[in-house]
Every structure is written in C-alpha cells, then in structure tokens.
Amino acid sequence: MKAMIFAAGRGERMRPLTDTTPKPLLCVGDKPIVVWQIEALARAGFTDIVINHAWLGAQIEAALGDGSAFGVRLAYSAEAQALETAGGIAKARDLLEGDGNIVLAVSGDVFTTFDYATLAAPAQRLAAQPVPGMHLVMVPNPAFHPTGDFALDASGRLYAREAAPATGVPLTFGNIALYDLRLFDGIAPGTRMALTPLYQRAVAAGQASGERFDGVWENVGTPAQLAALDAEVRARHDLVPGSRIA
C-alpha cells in the first residue's frame, strides 16, 4: 500500500511564515512537520510515498529529495495551482496505484503520534469490499471545531451528525484516511475538487468506517499554535506512536 502526503496548500493563516517557506517545511523541535510524518510512515512500513505540492513546491523537493535519507522512496505530484484534496489524489493517481486500490492519505501539516501500522486491518477490510469505501481516523473535537465533522458509533460506522444514532459520538476528522482509489473514477486529472462530497456520499451510503484516536494530534494552523507545539515537543522525550498528552 502506498501513502500520500498533502502538501500543496498555501497556509494563509500561517503567514508571514509561509510567505517564504511552504507550511509542511516549518519546524517543530528542529524538524520539519512533514519529516515527522515521513518518519512515522517509514516506521509503519510505508516505503512508497507520494507528495503533492504547489506553493513553493521546489523547496519541498529540494529539502526531501528522493526520500533515501528517511528510508523511503518519494515521488512528487506537482500542481500549478493547488487542486485540493480529491483533485490532488486524482492527479497523482498514476503514482499511487500499485498492487491494490487502497491508499493512505495524510495532511503534511498535521503533527501526530498516531501509529499508521494500526491501519493494516481496516485496509484489508476495504480491499475486500466490492464497493469502494473509506476509513477515517477521528479525533476529539478541538476548540476551533467544537461540533465535529461526523458521528462515530461503537461499531466503527460513521454518520452525518444530524442522522447519527443516540450512541454516535461527534468527532473531528483527523486528516488521516484510507481511500479506495476507485472513489476517484471519473475525476479527470487537473480537476480542482475537495473530498467533502466524496465523504458525504460514502457516509450516507454506509461505506465509510472510522476509528477514534485520543493521542497526540495537532492541526497546526497559526504561528502561535506552531510556537506552542514547538515548545511542548522540546520539553518532552516521549513522542512515539500511541503516546498521549498527560
């Protein structure tokens, strides 16, 4: 199974830092955020990784190279203008296709200790389904998104918040997901499109599963959030997959 890291965004809320540096190359604990992701993927056995880029993309390729420094093989999908998430996958599809249809996609500006190796079982379930689906990693609702994105029940099924059963818990999508590439059939390379309508369709059809992660997860959006996270990481030495904030 291959992995994709989304790294094409402009990072408007992170300005002025992102005026000269692509957001995934901003550092936490003396290491670019995207490098934390690459190293975590490598530990979990993901050695073929595709990175899309648009804003200051040449810097990303120059900094990361072919991936050999991290024990992986990196390929790049360059976008003249950011195509958003579904459009990014559609453009990179030739690079993502391998022995199967399932791909892991993560955002390059998320800092987390989630262990990607734990996704092997849901990936196998998705691969065995006749109808293409998705599996989303959900996190407790952060202060900036208190109502969440979808509701997750005890069986691992996702629901729209307004259609959730009483046992459904509203959670926020953690920007870590498994997708069946057949979901992107019919999306022409170069199309600018978000994943939102695909999420809504899969959830409504009962083809979207999920799991809850309560460990370290930060969607780094502003310079203040970046500085706070950097200070926390420098003060700690236990940030390994599965660790939790005490």
Side-chain angles (χ1 to χ4, degrees):
M1 183 166 55
K2 295 185 179 182
M4 180 170 181
I5 298 176
F6 294 119
R10 173 66 172 81
E12 291 288 347
R13 292 193 302 141
M14 195 65 80
R15 297 181 68 185
L17 300 179
T18 50
D19 287 342
T20 56
T21 303
K23 189 177 178 183
L25 290 185
L26 296 176
C27 287
V28 171
D30 292 324
K31 187 185 299 183
I33 298 173
V34 70
V35 171
W36 286 89
Q37 290 279 29
I38 292 170
E39 291 177 345
L41 289 166
R43 285 194 300 270
F46 291 89
T47 55
D48 287 290
I49 303 170
V50 177
I51 300 177
N52 73 331
H53 62 68
W55 175 251
L56 302 177
Q59 288 190 33
I60 293 175
E61 293 199 25
L64 304 179
D66 64 1
S68 57
F70 313 106
V72 301
R73 292 179 292 273
L74 295 180
Y76 298 95
S77 179
E79 302 171 9
Q81 293 184 333
L83 299 175
E84 299 197 37
T85 42
I89 291 176
K91 185 178 187 302
R93 186 164 177 174
D94 287 347
L95 297 173
L96 292 169
E97 289 179 335
D99 294 335
N101 290 319
I102 310 304
V103 64
L104 166 63
V106 301
S107 290
D109 57 0
V110 165
F111 182 90
T112 183
T113 56
F114 181 79
D115 185 357
Y116 296 115
T118 63
L119 293 173
Q124 291 175 350
R125 289 197 301 271
L126 279 180
Q129 293 178 184
V131 178
M134 60 179 64
H135 180 82
L136 310 185
V137 175
M138 310 296 291
V139 299
N141 298 328
F144 64 82
H145 194 51
T147 59
D149 294 307
F150 302 107
L152 181 69
D153 72 5
S155 72
R157 178 173 171 175
L158 289 171
Y159 294 85
R161 293 193 309 269
E162 62 276 10
T167 56
V169 178
L171 297 169
T172 292
F173 175 42
N175 296 321
I176 302 167
L178 297 169
Y179 301 111
D180 189 318
L181 288 173
R182 293 176 295 172
L183 292 167
F184 304 89
D185 289 349
I187 303 176
T191 301
R192 188 171 187 267
M193 180 179 175
L195 270 161
T196 304
L198 277 71
Y199 295 143
Q200 294 171 338
R201 194 178 310 143
V203 168
Q207 297 297 330
S209 60
E211 64 182 87
R212 176 171 177 154
F213 176 64
D214 288 297
V216 177
W217 181 91
E218 295 286 343
N219 186 356
V220 188
T222 67
Q225 288 176 323
L226 182 70
L229 177 62
D230 181 65
E232 180 178 13
V233 170
R234 290 175 184 276
R236 296 179 55 170
H237 305 284
D238 61 341
L239 291 175
V240 296
S243 65
R244 297 168 181 262
I245 296 177

